[in-house]
Amino acid sequence: MATYCLTGRRATTLLIALSLSWILAPSWVLAAQGQTVNQAAVADPPQAQASAPRVAVTAGRSTVVETTFDITRIAVTNPTIADAVVVRPREILVDGKAAGTISLIVWGGDQRTQYDVVVEQPVSALEQQLHQLFPGENIQTGVSADAVVLSGTVSSTQVMLRAADIARAVAPKANVINMLQVPGAADSQQVMLQVRFAEVNRRALTDLGTSFFTGPTGYKNWVGRSTTQQFAAPDFDKDKGLVFSDFLNLFLFNNKYDVGALIKALQQTGYFQSLAEPNLIAYNGQEASFLAGGEFPVPVVQGGLTQTVSILFKEFGIKLNFRPTIAGDLIRLHVRPEVSSLDFNNGILLQGFRIPALTTRRAETEVELRDGQSFAIAGLLNNQTQVDNTAIPILSQLPIIGNLFKSKADRKERTELLVIVTPRLVRPLNPDEVPPLPTAPGRFLPAEDSIGAQLEGGGGTIDAPAAAASTSTRKDGGR
């Protein structure tokens, strides 16, 4: 009986121990599992952190993605860019709709795979045409509503320029940005254009003629005058007698016989030389303009009942407009140089105001040159000769004295004009490379006479570098 009782106590103790182990076992198991999971996480990174496979498709086209497991479910992040549909247990059809990148997630059984679907822009008709015209050239096009971008590398400058011309013809309203690269192209994107206008004008003038006349009372009751009307001759007036508008070169008059003569004998030569050299810098593809001259007012009468007069200003002087395009080792220039001056001899008189005319030399063209090369874009050689002969019939045909009844005006003019352009690729100057200004310092007032030098602190020169002579005496900015 005692033995039974002892056996019963042992059984009770064993039952209590089993119950406690049953209660505490799940926490031990969970802790052990958590430690195992953490060790696995440290040892092996999760599959989600690995780079996802890339699927490339062009907008408007489709591709098939194959998996190694049966597909149960798929999802895409943005169906407007690309959509997907399961066509077979292990095949997915991906349709590209618009350019962009989305994620495609595929589930199957206990597996899951994520893809990066990249939808590329479709090949435009312009790019297809460029590939047909220039086979073997790496030309890509980016087309938007307002611009066409050409990128890639080409073998020559001619291909680069022709591709840009074709793009402008296909899209005339779009802005064509040519970023095609050519081997050996220069890094500088700024062009300085040197233009030289050289003009030489020579002229010669010869006038010869004679006019005879008598005084108002005449000679032996004879009053007369002879003229070819080529040069001025005196007129008879009842009140004033003889009226001379021009005494010409030689004037002869005999009071005894009351007979006179006007002789026009003149030789004149002229020489004109002009040289203008405007220089201007412009950025690649941008237009620049230059004017050294002025503007003169021109009155313009407005129509209507009021007849108001407005003033319009016209430019004159040395003008230069050009737009450079750097294409590899070539520089394409659209240049328009002009030199004009006021011409009062050919002007008009309007309501007491003299409005001058303009003498203009202008050229406009497109050329291609390399850095430092020169081109004579315009030239002129103009020879003019004018001979005017006037004679009095019958009298001019008399021997010897017939020449007294003839007049002659001979004018000759020769003009030579040449316009030369030279483009140069330039870079900005460092501070120590800046050349001195074209001034004569002795013509200006000395600095010590200025009011600023008399002010305390130097009149705004405190921050300027101190002179070498005053470094030791004034170290506090002039105080």
Side-chain angles (χ1 to χ4, degrees):
M1 188 68 181
T3 302
Y4 175 76
C5 291
L6 182 60
T7 303
R9 291 178 181 177
R10 289 181 180 178
T12 303
T13 304
L14 180 60
L15 182 60
I16 294 172
L18 292 175
S19 300
L20 292 176
S21 62
W22 178 260
I23 296 174
L24 297 177
S27 59
W28 298 343
V29 173
L30 291 177
Q33 291 179 352
Q35 185 176 3
T36 305
V37 171
N38 292 336
Q39 291 177 355
V42 174
D44 298 326
Q47 184 179 1
Q49 295 179 359
S51 58
R54 184 176 182 271
V55 178
V57 62
T58 304
R61 297 187 178 183
S62 302
T63 186
V64 176
V65 178
E66 296 182 354
T67 62
T68 58
F69 53 88
D70 294 339
I71 303 169
T72 58
R73 185 163 58 96
I74 63 172
V76 292
T77 55
N78 191 351
T80 60
I81 295 179
D83 201 358
V85 60
V86 179
V87 293
R88 288 186 178 181
R90 295 191 177 188
E91 290 184 357
I92 303 173
L93 180 63
V94 180
D95 299 326
K97 296 182 178 180
T101 302
I102 65 170
S103 296
L104 170 64
I105 304 175
V106 181
W107 289 271
D110 57 349
Q111 299 186 25
R112 183 189 64 189
T113 305
Q114 181 174 338
Y115 299 91
D116 289 338
V117 180
V118 180
V119 182
E120 300 175 351
Q121 192 72 253
V123 179
S124 61
L126 173 61
E127 186 170 342
Q128 295 178 2
Q129 185 177 3
L130 292 176
H131 288 167
Q132 292 177 358
L133 296 175
F134 308 106
E137 303 290 349
N138 182 20
I139 303 177
Q140 291 87 32
T141 62
V143 182
S144 63
D146 300 327
V148 176
V149 180
L150 301 180
S151 59
T153 57
V154 293
S155 58
S156 65
T157 304
Q158 297 298 327
V159 175
M160 173 185 177
L161 296 176
R162 296 297 179 268
D165 294 339
I166 294 173
R168 294 187 185 95
V170 173
K173 296 183 179 180
N175 182 23
V176 178
I177 302 174
N178 192 351
M179 299 182 64
L180 295 174
Q181 299 294 326
V182 180
D187 295 334
S188 179
Q189 295 294 313
Q190 299 182 86
V191 179
M192 181 180 70
L193 182 64
Q194 298 175 340
V195 181
R196 283 168 286 179
F197 275 92
E199 180 181 1
V200 177
N201 182 278
R202 294 189 295 269
R203 57 186 178 275
L205 173 66
T206 301
D207 292 334
L208 180 62
T210 305
S211 297
F212 296 98
F213 62 92
T214 64
T217 58
Y219 175 71
K220 293 183 180 182
N221 297 325
W222 288 90
V223 178
R225 185 192 70 168
S226 68
T227 178
T228 60
Q229 297 295 328
Q230 189 170 7
F231 306 113
D235 294 331
F236 292 100
D237 189 271
K238 295 181 180 180
D239 300 329
K240 299 180 181 181
L242 287 175
V243 179
F244 295 89
S245 60
D246 188 0
F247 286 99
L248 302 181
N249 297 93
L250 298 176
F251 172 76
L252 301 175
F253 188 79
N254 190 308
N255 291 327
K256 180 179 179 180
Y257 297 103
D258 203 16
V259 177
L262 292 175
I263 301 176
K264 177 74 170 181
L266 179 65
Q267 286 185 345
Q268 185 180 16
T269 59
Y271 181 82
F272 172 79
Q273 181 177 355
S274 174
L275 178 63
E277 297 186 20
N279 298 335
L280 186 61
I281 295 178
Y283 191 77
N284 181 22
Q286 303 298 322
E287 184 174 355
S289 60
F290 170 85
L291 171 63
E295 297 181 349
F296 67 97
V298 178
V300 178
V301 180
Q302 304 292 336
L305 299 177
T306 58
Q307 293 292 322
T308 59
V309 178
S310 60
I311 302 299
L312 179 64
F313 287 88
K314 294 286 187 179
E315 295 180 346
F316 72 95
I318 302 172
K319 297 174 61 178
L320 176 61
N321 297 78
F322 86 103
R323 182 179 67 253
T325 302
I326 301 176
D329 58 343
L330 288 179
I331 303 175
R332 173 179 285 188
L333 297 174
H334 179 89
V335 58
R336 188 177 185 271
E338 177 181 332
V339 174
S340 59
S341 58
L342 299 178
D343 185 6
F344 288 92
N345 295 328
N346 296 322
I348 61 174
L349 192 63
L350 180 62
Q351 296 181 359
F353 297 95
R354 178 168 293 278
I355 302 175
L358 283 178
T359 302
T360 306
R361 280 77 68 189
R362 180 190 301 121
E364 183 175 3
T365 184
E366 288 191 6
V367 293
E368 290 182 0
L369 302 95
R370 287 181 170 86
D371 181 20
Q373 291 183 335
S374 299
F375 215 128
I377 63 171
L380 173 66
L381 179 60
N382 186 20
N383 284 314
Q384 293 180 352
T385 301
Q386 181 180 354
V387 179
D388 297 328
N389 293 320
T390 308
I392 299 176
I394 302 176
L395 295 179
S396 62
Q397 298 176 0
L398 296 176
I400 301 175
I401 63 172
N403 293 326
L404 298 177
F405 301 97
K406 297 178 181 179
S407 62
K408 177 182 179 180
D410 187 0
R411 295 175 177 84
K412 297 180 180 179
E413 185 174 356
R414 180 185 177 91
T415 302
E416 299 179 22
L417 175 65
L418 185 64
V419 182
I420 301 176
V421 296
T422 304
R424 298 185 184 275
L425 296 174
V426 296
R427 62 172 180 82
L429 295 176
N430 295 323
D432 56 344
E433 298 175 340
V434 179
L437 296 177
T439 58
R443 299 292 182 180
F444 296 101
L445 292 176
E448 57 270 12
D449 293 343
S450 62
I451 299 178
Q454 302 175 11
L455 297 177
E456 183 180 4
T461 61
I462 297 178
D463 296 332
S470 60
T471 303
S472 59
T473 58
R474 303 177 68 176
K475 298 182 179 179
D476 55 350
R479 295 186 180 274

